[in-house]
Amino acid sequence: MRRGVGAGAIAKKKLAEAKYKERGNVLAEDQIVQMSKQLETFKSNLEEFASKHKQEIRKSSQFRVQFQEMCATIGVDPLASGKGFWSEMLGVGDFYYELGVQIIEVCLALKHRNGGLITLDELHQRVLKGRGKYAQDVSQDDLVRAIKKLKVMGSGFGMIPVGGSYLVQSVPAELNMDHTVVLQLAEDHLLKEGLAWLDSQAPGEAQYWLPALFSELTHRDVTPEEANQMTP
Amino acid sequence: MSFEWPWQYNFPPFFTLQPNVDTRQKQLAAWCSLALSYCRHHKLYTLDVMEAQESPVFNNKKIERKLSMEAIQVVFEELRKKGNLEWLDKNKSRCLVMWRRPEEWGKLIYQWVSKNGMVNSVFTLYELSNGDDTEGEEFHGLEEWMLLRSLQALQTEGKGEIITMDDGKGVKFF
């Protein structure tokens, strides 16, 4: 039989196309079914994983980081909502929620001393201290995530990048920043708020100092009396 | 025992008079406290303003900061208002520093007197401030003008009477 063009051939072609298309649809459907099945399996594997590792998630900060990264690749945010699979199965939300509360406590307790600005390092030290003997490991990554969640709730929390780390701000205040070496802040504002002290004897231009960043203070315990001496 | 500097002493802005009113209040309170404890530690009873500028209290060479003359005057005025300082001259170049007020000294002296069962005795001023018996007491070495004021405070309280003797003053305790 000769392959050729002609009405018959066209019709055949069309039929073939139709059949391929149908087949394509079938294949696509197949794939979808397959995929659903896989997702189901994935979901139940994940659930199993979750319950097996729930303890570890609470205990190990390194595990938590990797877990978070894994979720991010899949496109899942385990902290997205208080309900649902992740928080119920893993209690991940609980962990960060509790951490958030601790962070707020530390910041409120020190606000009268540093005006509501604290370095991430110091926050970390104090949170660890507050957690005590049963201390579950808490990393700075954990703090950052918890603070991000606090931000979303509109609690006045924010983070300001400084050097390689962050300043955690727990009081709403307008801060202008220059990303060069140190925090450069609106002169009037910080002085007005009592967050900064003026140093007019610095070589060159006048400088501003934040008691909150004065390392001699952050690395030792300050008595309540000393604390009152710092900010109004 | 060496003098312990407060944290503010190494904080450069501490040596600049702060523009913010509230911050300045905190600053001045800290300066007053530092000046008084320094004088107390070194048993200084008078200060000369010119010398003060170069004294380690107001001049921290390590961090290259010092209080300006204007700022020192502000601190001194603050101390005066609190009753811890008195100018000796109109030009405000020298002053008396009372890191302990006369009443407080009077109390200490009287305590020593009664503890040693010496009420009703007479002492010369010299015996009180420089006598062997008082060595080791905080008021030992107290300068005469301060001692006199302290005894005057006791007198007002009816706990003693200042008497004039041949070669000086003395006090009888009741």
Side-chain angles (χ1 to χ4, degrees), chain A residues 146-199:
Chain A
I147 291 166
K148 283 194 176 136
K149 288 298 157 184
L150 285 174
K151 247 169 97 160
V152 164
M153 293 197 293
S155 52
F157 270 76
M159 281 189 301
I160 305 161
V162 172
S165 177
Y166 291 101
L167 272 187
V168 177
Q169 173 194 345
S170 55
V171 192
E174 300 256 321
L175 300 173
N176 296 324
M177 275 154 14
D178 185 283
H179 287 287
T180 38
V181 180
V182 261
L183 208 50
Q184 299 226 356
L185 298 155
E187 159 183 344
D188 272 345
H189 185 87
L190 267 198
L191 283 180
K192 267 199 208 118
E193 295 288 306
L195 287 174
W197 286 51
L198 169 67
D199 177 14

CSV table of all heavy atoms in Angstrom, one decimal, chain A residues 146-199:
chain,number,residue,atom,x,y,z
A,146,ALA,N,11.8,32.7,65.1
A,146,ALA,CA,10.8,33.0,66.0
A,146,ALA,C,10.4,34.5,65.9
A,146,ALA,O,9.3,34.9,66.0
A,146,ALA,CB,11.2,32.7,67.4
A,147,ILE,N,11.5,35.3,65.8
A,147,ILE,CA,11.3,36.8,65.7
A,147,ILE,C,10.5,37.1,64.4
A,147,ILE,O,9.6,38.0,64.5
A,147,ILE,CB,12.6,37.5,65.8
A,147,ILE,CG1,13.2,37.4,67.2
A,147,ILE,CG2,12.4,39.0,65.4
A,147,ILE,CD1,14.6,37.8,67.3
A,148,LYS,N,10.8,36.4,63.3
A,148,LYS,CA,10.1,36.7,62.1
A,148,LYS,C,8.6,36.4,62.3
A,148,LYS,O,7.8,37.2,61.8
A,148,LYS,CB,10.6,35.8,61.0
A,148,LYS,CG,12.0,36.3,60.4
A,148,LYS,CD,12.3,35.7,59.1
A,148,LYS,CE,13.6,36.3,58.6
A,148,LYS,NZ,14.6,35.3,58.0
A,149,LYS,N,8.3,35.4,63.0
A,149,LYS,CA,6.9,35.1,63.3
A,149,LYS,C,6.3,36.2,64.2
A,149,LYS,O,5.2,36.6,64.0
A,149,LYS,CB,6.8,33.7,64.0
A,149,LYS,CG,7.0,32.6,63.0
A,149,LYS,CD,6.1,32.6,61.9
A,149,LYS,CE,6.6,31.8,60.7
A,149,LYS,NZ,5.7,31.9,59.5
A,150,LEU,N,7.1,36.7,65.1
A,150,LEU,CA,6.6,37.7,66.0
A,150,LEU,C,6.3,39.0,65.2
A,150,LEU,O,5.3,39.6,65.4
A,150,LEU,CB,7.6,38.1,67.1
A,150,LEU,CG,7.7,37.1,68.2
A,150,LEU,CD1,8.9,37.5,69.1
A,150,LEU,CD2,6.5,37.0,69.0
A,151,LYS,N,7.1,39.2,64.3
A,151,LYS,CA,7.0,40.4,63.4
A,151,LYS,C,5.6,40.3,62.7
A,151,LYS,O,4.9,41.3,62.6
A,151,LYS,CB,8.0,40.4,62.3
A,151,LYS,CG,9.0,41.5,62.5
A,151,LYS,CD,10.2,41.3,61.6
A,151,LYS,CE,10.1,42.1,60.3
A,151,LYS,NZ,11.4,42.2,59.6
A,152,VAL,N,5.3,39.1,62.2
A,152,VAL,CA,4.1,39.0,61.4
A,152,VAL,C,2.9,39.3,62.3
A,152,VAL,O,1.9,39.8,61.8
A,152,VAL,CB,4.0,37.5,60.9
A,152,VAL,CG1,2.6,37.2,60.4
A,152,VAL,CG2,5.0,37.4,59.7
A,153,MET,N,3.0,39.0,63.6
A,153,MET,CA,1.9,39.3,64.5
A,153,MET,C,1.8,40.7,64.8
A,153,MET,O,0.9,41.1,65.6
A,153,MET,CB,2.0,38.4,65.8
A,153,MET,CG,1.9,37.0,65.5
A,153,MET,SD,1.6,36.1,67.0
A,153,MET,CE,3.1,36.3,67.9
A,154,GLY,N,2.7,41.5,64.3
A,154,GLY,CA,2.6,42.9,64.5
A,154,GLY,C,2.9,43.3,66.0
A,154,GLY,O,2.3,44.2,66.5
A,155,SER,N,3.9,42.7,66.6
A,155,SER,CA,4.2,43.0,68.0
A,155,SER,C,5.2,44.1,68.2
A,155,SER,O,5.7,44.3,69.3
A,155,SER,CB,4.6,41.7,68.7
A,155,SER,OG,5.6,41.1,68.0
A,156,GLY,N,5.6,44.7,67.1
A,156,GLY,CA,6.6,45.8,67.3
A,156,GLY,C,8.0,45.2,67.2
A,156,GLY,O,9.0,46.0,67.5
A,157,PHE,N,8.2,44.0,66.9
A,157,PHE,CA,9.5,43.4,66.8
A,157,PHE,C,10.1,43.6,65.4
A,157,PHE,O,9.4,43.5,64.4
A,157,PHE,CB,9.5,41.9,67.2
A,157,PHE,CG,9.7,41.6,68.6
A,157,PHE,CD1,8.7,41.9,69.5
A,157,PHE,CD2,10.9,41.2,69.1
A,157,PHE,CE1,8.8,41.6,70.9
A,157,PHE,CE2,11.1,40.9,70.4
A,157,PHE,CZ,10.0,41.2,71.3
A,158,GLY,N,11.4,43.7,65.4
A,158,GLY,CA,12.1,43.8,64.1
A,158,GLY,C,13.5,43.4,64.3
A,158,GLY,O,14.0,43.4,65.4
A,159,MET,N,14.2,43.2,63.1
A,159,MET,CA,15.6,42.9,63.2
A,159,MET,C,16.3,43.8,62.3
A,159,MET,O,15.9,44.0,61.1
A,159,MET,CB,15.8,41.5,62.8
A,159,MET,CG,15.5,40.5,63.9
A,159,MET,SD,16.0,38.9,63.6
A,159,MET,CE,15.0,38.6,62.1
A,160,ILE,N,17.5,44.3,62.8
A,160,ILE,CA,18.3,45.3,62.0
A,160,ILE,C,19.6,44.6,61.7
A,160,ILE,O,20.3,44.3,62.7
A,160,ILE,CB,18.5,46.6,62.8
A,160,ILE,CG1,17.1,47.2,63.1
A,160,ILE,CG2,19.2,47.6,61.9
A,160,ILE,CD1,17.2,48.2,64.2
A,161,PRO,N,20.0,44.5,60.5
A,161,PRO,CA,21.3,43.9,60.2
A,161,PRO,C,22.4,44.8,60.6
A,161,PRO,O,22.3,46.0,60.2
A,161,PRO,CB,21.3,43.6,58.7
A,161,PRO,CG,20.2,44.4,58.1
A,161,PRO,CD,19.2,44.8,59.2
A,162,VAL,N,23.3,44.4,61.3
A,162,VAL,CA,24.5,45.2,61.7
A,162,VAL,C,25.7,44.3,61.7
A,162,VAL,O,25.7,43.2,62.3
A,162,VAL,CB,24.4,45.7,63.2
A,162,VAL,CG1,25.6,46.3,63.6
A,162,VAL,CG2,23.2,46.7,63.3
A,163,GLY,N,26.7,44.7,60.9
A,163,GLY,CA,27.9,43.9,60.8
A,163,GLY,C,27.5,42.5,60.3
A,163,GLY,O,26.7,42.5,59.3
A,164,GLY,N,27.9,41.4,60.9
A,164,GLY,CA,27.5,40.1,60.4
A,164,GLY,C,26.3,39.6,61.1
A,164,GLY,O,25.8,38.5,60.7
A,165,SER,N,25.7,40.4,62.1
A,165,SER,CA,24.7,39.8,62.8
A,165,SER,C,23.4,40.7,62.8
A,165,SER,O,23.3,41.5,61.9
A,165,SER,CB,25.2,39.5,64.3
A,165,SER,OG,24.2,39.1,65.1
A,166,TYR,N,22.6,40.7,63.9
A,166,TYR,CA,21.4,41.5,64.0
A,166,TYR,C,21.3,42.2,65.3
A,166,TYR,O,21.8,41.7,66.3
A,166,TYR,CB,20.2,40.6,63.8
A,166,TYR,CG,20.0,40.0,62.5
A,166,TYR,CD1,20.3,38.7,62.2
A,166,TYR,CD2,19.5,40.8,61.4
A,166,TYR,CE1,20.1,38.1,61.0
A,166,TYR,CE2,19.3,40.2,60.2
A,166,TYR,CZ,19.6,38.9,60.0
A,166,TYR,OH,19.4,38.3,58.7
A,167,LEU,N,20.6,43.3,65.2
A,167,LEU,CA,20.1,43.9,66.4
A,167,LEU,C,18.6,43.6,66.5
A,167,LEU,O,17.9,43.7,65.5
A,167,LEU,CB,20.2,45.4,66.4
A,167,LEU,CG,21.5,46.1,66.8
A,167,LEU,CD1,21.3,47.6,66.8
A,167,LEU,CD2,21.9,45.6,68.2
A,168,VAL,N,18.1,43.2,67.6
A,168,VAL,CA,16.7,42.9,67.7
A,168,VAL,C,16.0,44.1,68.4
A,168,VAL,O,16.4,44.5,69.5
A,168,VAL,CB,16.5,41.6,68.6
A,168,VAL,CG1,15.0,41.4,68.7
A,168,VAL,CG2,17.1,40.4,67.9
A,169,GLN,N,15.1,44.6,67.7
A,169,GLN,CA,14.4,45.8,68.2
A,169,GLN,C,13.0,45.4,68.7
A,169,GLN,O,12.2,44.8,68.0
A,169,GLN,CB,14.3,46.8,67.0
A,169,GLN,CG,13.5,48.0,67.3
A,169,GLN,CD,13.1,48.7,65.9
A,169,GLN,OE1,13.7,48.4,64.9
A,169,GLN,NE2,12.2,49.5,65.9
A,170,SER,N,12.7,45.7,70.0
A,170,SER,CA,11.5,45.3,70.5
A,170,SER,C,10.5,46.5,70.8
A,170,SER,O,9.5,46.3,71.4
A,170,SER,CB,11.7,44.5,71.8
A,170,SER,OG,12.4,45.3,72.7
A,171,VAL,N,10.9,47.7,70.4
A,171,VAL,CA,10.1,48.8,70.6
A,171,VAL,C,9.9,49.5,69.2
A,171,VAL,O,10.9,49.7,68.6
A,171,VAL,CB,10.7,49.8,71.5
A,171,VAL,CG1,9.7,50.8,72.0
A,171,VAL,CG2,11.3,49.1,72.7
A,172,PRO,N,8.7,49.8,68.8
A,172,PRO,CA,8.6,50.4,67.5
A,172,PRO,C,9.3,51.8,67.6
A,172,PRO,O,9.1,52.5,68.5
A,172,PRO,CB,7.1,50.6,67.3
A,172,PRO,CG,6.5,49.8,68.4
A,172,PRO,CD,7.4,49.6,69.5
A,173,ALA,N,10.2,52.0,66.7
A,173,ALA,CA,11.0,53.2,66.6
A,173,ALA,C,11.5,53.3,65.2
A,173,ALA,O,11.9,52.4,64.5
A,173,ALA,CB,12.1,53.2,67.6
A,174,GLU,N,11.4,54.6,64.7
A,174,GLU,CA,11.9,54.7,63.3
A,174,GLU,C,13.4,54.8,63.3
A,174,GLU,O,14.0,55.7,63.9
A,174,GLU,CB,11.4,56.0,62.7
A,174,GLU,CG,9.9,56.1,62.7
A,174,GLU,CD,9.4,55.9,61.3
A,174,GLU,OE1,10.0,56.5,60.4
A,174,GLU,OE2,8.4,55.3,61.1
A,175,LEU,N,14.1,53.9,62.7
A,175,LEU,CA,15.5,53.9,62.6
A,175,LEU,C,16.0,54.0,61.2
A,175,LEU,O,15.6,53.2,60.4
A,175,LEU,CB,16.1,52.7,63.3
A,175,LEU,CG,15.8,52.5,64.7
A,175,LEU,CD1,16.3,51.1,65.2
A,175,LEU,CD2,16.4,53.5,65.6
A,176,ASN,N,16.7,55.0,60.9
A,176,ASN,CA,17.3,55.1,59.5
A,176,ASN,C,18.6,54.4,59.6
A,176,ASN,O,19.4,54.5,60.5
A,176,ASN,CB,17.5,56.5,59.1
A,176,ASN,CG,16.2,57.3,59.0
A,176,ASN,OD1,15.2,56.7,58.6
A,176,ASN,ND2,16.2,58.5,59.4
A,177,MET,N,19.0,53.7,58.5
A,177,MET,CA,20.2,53.0,58.6
A,177,MET,C,21.1,53.1,57.4
A,177,MET,O,20.7,53.3,56.3
A,177,MET,CB,19.9,51.5,58.8
A,177,MET,CG,19.7,51.2,60.2
A,177,MET,SD,18.7,49.8,60.5
A,177,MET,CE,18.8,49.1,58.9
A,178,ASP,N,22.4,53.1,57.7
A,178,ASP,CA,23.4,53.1,56.7
A,178,ASP,C,24.1,51.8,56.8
A,178,ASP,O,24.5,51.4,57.9
A,178,ASP,CB,24.3,54.3,56.9
A,178,ASP,CG,25.3,54.5,55.8
A,178,ASP,OD1,26.3,53.7,55.8
A,178,ASP,OD2,25.1,55.3,55.0
A,179,HIS,N,24.2,51.1,55.7
A,179,HIS,CA,24.8,49.8,55.8
A,179,HIS,C,26.3,49.7,55.8
A,179,HIS,O,26.9,48.7,55.6
A,179,HIS,CB,24.3,48.9,54.7
A,179,HIS,CG,22.9,48.5,54.9
A,179,HIS,ND1,22.5,47.6,55.9
A,179,HIS,CD2,21.7,48.9,54.3
A,179,HIS,CE1,21.2,47.5,55.8
A,179,HIS,NE2,20.7,48.3,54.9
A,180,THR,N,27.0,50.8,56.0
A,180,THR,CA,28.4,50.7,56.0
A,180,THR,C,28.9,50.0,57.3
A,180,THR,O,28.6,48.8,57.4
A,180,THR,CB,29.1,52.1,56.0
A,180,THR,OG1,28.3,53.0,56.8
A,180,THR,CG2,29.1,52.7,54.6
A,181,VAL,N,29.7,50.5,58.1
A,181,VAL,CA,30.3,49.7,59.1
A,181,VAL,C,29.3,49.6,60.4
A,181,VAL,O,29.1,48.5,60.9
A,181,VAL,CB,31.6,50.2,59.6
A,181,VAL,CG1,32.2,49.3,60.6
A,181,VAL,CG2,32.6,50.3,58.4
A,182,VAL,N,28.9,50.7,60.9
A,182,VAL,CA,28.1,50.7,62.1
A,182,VAL,C,26.7,51.2,61.7
A,182,VAL,O,26.4,51.8,60.7
A,182,VAL,CB,28.6,51.6,63.2
A,182,VAL,CG1,29.4,50.8,64.2
A,182,VAL,CG2,29.5,52.7,62.6
A,183,LEU,N,25.9,51.1,62.7
A,183,LEU,CA,24.5,51.6,62.6
A,183,LEU,C,24.6,53.1,62.6
A,183,LEU,O,25.1,53.7,63.5
A,183,LEU,CB,23.8,51.2,63.8
A,183,LEU,CG,22.3,51.0,63.7
A,183,LEU,CD1,22.0,50.1,62.6
A,183,LEU,CD2,21.9,50.3,65.0
A,184,GLN,N,24.1,53.8,61.5
A,184,GLN,CA,24.0,55.2,61.5
A,184,GLN,C,22.6,55.6,61.7
A,184,GLN,O,21.7,55.2,60.9
A,184,GLN,CB,24.6,55.7,60.2
A,184,GLN,CG,26.0,55.3,60.0
A,184,GLN,CD,26.9,56.5,59.6
A,184,GLN,OE1,26.3,57.5,59.3
A,184,GLN,NE2,28.1,56.2,59.4
A,185,LEU,N,22.3,56.4,62.7
A,185,LEU,CA,20.9,56.6,63.0
A,185,LEU,C,20.6,58.0,63.0
A,185,LEU,O,21.5,58.9,63.2
A,185,LEU,CB,20.6,55.9,64.4
A,185,LEU,CG,20.9,54.4,64.3
A,185,LEU,CD1,21.2,53.9,65.6
A,185,LEU,CD2,19.7,53.8,63.7
A,186,ALA,N,19.4,58.3,62.8
A,186,ALA,CA,18.9,59.7,62.8
A,186,ALA,C,19.3,60.4,64.1
A,186,ALA,O,18.8,60.0,65.2
A,186,ALA,CB,17.4,59.8,62.6
A,187,GLU,N,20.1,61.4,64.1
A,187,GLU,CA,20.7,62.0,65.2
A,187,GLU,C,19.6,62.4,66.2
A,187,GLU,O,19.6,62.0,67.4
A,187,GLU,CB,21.5,63.2,64.8
A,187,GLU,CG,21.7,64.3,65.9
A,187,GLU,CD,22.4,65.5,65.3
A,187,GLU,OE1,23.0,65.4,64.2
A,187,GLU,OE2,22.4,66.5,66.0
A,188,ASP,N,18.7,63.2,65.8
A,188,ASP,CA,17.7,63.7,66.7
A,188,ASP,C,16.9,62.6,67.3
A,188,ASP,O,16.7,62.6,68.5
A,188,ASP,CB,16.6,64.5,65.9
A,188,ASP,CG,17.1,66.0,65.8
A,188,ASP,OD1,18.0,66.3,66.5
A,188,ASP,OD2,16.5,66.7,64.9
A,189,HIS,N,16.5,61.7,66.5
A,189,HIS,CA,15.6,60.7,67.1
A,189,HIS,C,16.2,59.9,68.2
A,189,HIS,O,15.6,59.7,69.2
A,189,HIS,CB,15.1,59.7,65.9
A,189,HIS,CG,14.1,58.8,66.5
A,189,HIS,ND1,12.8,59.1,66.5
A,189,HIS,CD2,14.2,57.6,67.0
A,189,HIS,CE1,12.1,58.1,67.1
A,189,HIS,NE2,13.0,57.2,67.4
A,190,LEU,N,17.4,59.3,67.9
A,190,LEU,CA,18.0,58.4,68.9
A,190,LEU,C,18.3,59.2,70.2
A,190,LEU,O,18.1,58.7,71.3
A,190,LEU,CB,19.2,57.8,68.4
A,190,LEU,CG,19.1,56.5,67.8
A,190,LEU,CD1,20.5,55.8,67.7
A,190,LEU,CD2,18.2,55.6,68.5
A,191,LEU,N,18.8,60.4,70.0
A,191,LEU,CA,19.2,61.2,71.2
A,191,LEU,C,17.9,61.5,72.0
A,191,LEU,O,17.8,61.4,73.2
A,191,LEU,CB,19.9,62.5,70.8
A,191,LEU,CG,21.3,62.4,70.4
A,191,LEU,CD1,21.9,63.7,70.1
A,191,LEU,CD2,22.1,61.8,71.5
A,192,LYS,N,16.9,61.9,71.2
A,192,LYS,CA,15.6,62.2,71.8
A,192,LYS,C,15.1,61.0,72.6
A,192,LYS,O,14.5,61.2,73.7
A,192,LYS,CB,14.5,62.6,70.8
A,192,LYS,CG,14.5,64.0,70.5
A,192,LYS,CD,13.2,64.4,69.8
A,192,LYS,CE,13.4,65.6,69.0
A,192,LYS,NZ,13.1,65.4,67.6
A,193,GLU,N,15.2,59.9,72.0
A,193,GLU,CA,14.6,58.7,72.7
A,193,GLU,C,15.5,58.2,73.8
A,193,GLU,O,15.1,57.3,74.5
A,193,GLU,CB,14.5,57.5,71.7
A,193,GLU,CG,13.5,57.8,70.6
A,193,GLU,CD,12.1,57.7,71.1
A,193,GLU,OE1,11.7,56.7,71.7
A,193,GLU,OE2,11.3,58.7,70.9
A,194,GLY,N,16.7,58.8,74.0
A,194,GLY,CA,17.6,58.4,75.0
A,194,GLY,C,18.2,57.1,74.7
A,194,GLY,O,18.8,56.4,75.6
A,195,LEU,N,18.2,56.7,73.5
A,195,LEU,CA,18.9,55.4,73.1
A,195,LEU,C,20.4,55.6,72.9
A,195,LEU,O,21.1,54.7,72.9
A,195,LEU,CB,18.2,54.8,71.8
A,195,LEU,CG,16.8,54.3,72.0
A,195,LEU,CD1,16.3,53.9,70.6
A,195,LEU,CD2,16.9,53.0,72.9
A,196,ALA,N,20.7,56.9,72.5
A,196,ALA,CA,22.1,57.1,72.2
A,196,ALA,C,22.7,58.2,73.0
A,196,ALA,O,22.0,59.1,73.5
A,196,ALA,CB,22.2,57.5,70.7
A,197,TRP,N,24.0,58.2,73.2
A,197,TRP,CA,24.7,59.2,73.9
A,197,TRP,C,25.6,59.9,72.9
A,197,TRP,O,26.2,59.2,72.0
A,197,TRP,CB,25.5,58.7,75.1
A,197,TRP,CG,24.8,58.2,76.3
A,197,TRP,CD1,23.7,57.4,76.3
A,197,TRP,CD2,25.1,58.5,77.6
A,197,TRP,NE1,23.3,57.2,77.6
A,197,TRP,CE2,24.1,57.9,78.4
A,197,TRP,CE3,26.0,59.3,78.3
A,197,TRP,CZ2,24.1,58.0,79.8
A,197,TRP,CZ3,26.0,59.4,79.6
A,197,TRP,CH2,25.1,58.7,80.4
A,198,LEU,N,25.8,61.2,73.1
A,198,LEU,CA,26.7,61.9,72.2
A,198,LEU,C,28.1,62.0,72.7
A,198,LEU,O,28.4,62.2,73.9
A,198,LEU,CB,26.2,63.4,72.1
A,198,LEU,CG,27.0,64.4,71.4
A,198,LEU,CD1,27.1,64.1,69.9
A,198,LEU,CD2,26.5,65.8,71.6
A,199,ASP,N,29.1,61.7,71.8
A,199,ASP,CA,30.5,61.8,72.1
A,199,ASP,C,31.1,62.9,71.2
A,199,ASP,O,31.3,62.7,70.0
A,199,ASP,CB,31.1,60.5,71.9
A,199,ASP,CG,32.6,60.5,72.2
A,199,ASP,OD1,33.1,61.5,72.8
A,199,ASP,OD2,33.3,59.5,71.7
